[in-house]
Amino acid sequence: MERTTLPSVRAEAAQVEKAETRREHLTEWRSWAGTSVVLTGIWVVTAFASASDGDGLPFFWPILPIGIWGAVLVAQFFFGTGDDEDDDEDDGGGDGREARRRERD
């Protein structure tokens, strides 16, 4: 019996993959939050510049990229990214996690 087929090894690999997935999700949300702050900052600067003309506040355009990106992240959280391990092995695609796992074992 190969080491990779042992139940304890499979369980450990599943835990490692779950931790990697969680770390990836957190990284994506941090990127979203940072970009949201930058875009909102740009809007604030332009809003103050245009408000001095007496036109009032402009449309809050950052809601478009922030909202779309946020909706994609929420959808990924609930429905996954669509990356199946079986697909990665068949077509050589994916992000390399399967290859790294095989190298460790």
Side-chain angles (χ1 to χ4, degrees):
M1 179 180 273
E2 288 187 36
R3 182 178 185 273
T4 57
T5 59
L6 296 174
S8 61
V9 173
R10 285 192 310 235
E12 182 181 336
Q15 287 178 342
V16 168
E17 185 171 342
K18 185 176 179 180
E20 287 177 3
T21 302
R22 180 182 166 113
R23 197 170 24 255
E24 289 171 3
H25 284 293
L26 290 175
T27 301
E28 290 176 12
W29 278 106
R30 274 190 225 111
S31 296
W32 175 84
T35 303
S36 298
V37 168
V38 169
L39 292 177
T40 302
I42 293 170
W43 179 83
V44 166
V45 169
T46 58
F48 279 129
S50 68
S52 64
D53 297 339
D55 293 336
L57 292 176
F59 172 69
F60 185 68
W61 58 265
I63 194 67
L64 297 173
I66 290 170
I68 293 169
W69 191 359
V72 169
L73 291 177
V74 168
Q76 284 180 347
F77 177 76
F78 286 112
F79 304 112
T81 60
D83 292 340
D84 291 336
E85 289 183 18
D86 296 337
D87 292 344
D88 292 347
E89 291 176 11
D90 293 342
D91 62 6
D95 58 4
R97 277 188 273 164
E98 184 65 28
R100 286 193 303 269
R101 188 176 311 127
R102 277 189 247 122
E103 288 175 6
R104 274 196 318 258
D105 298 336

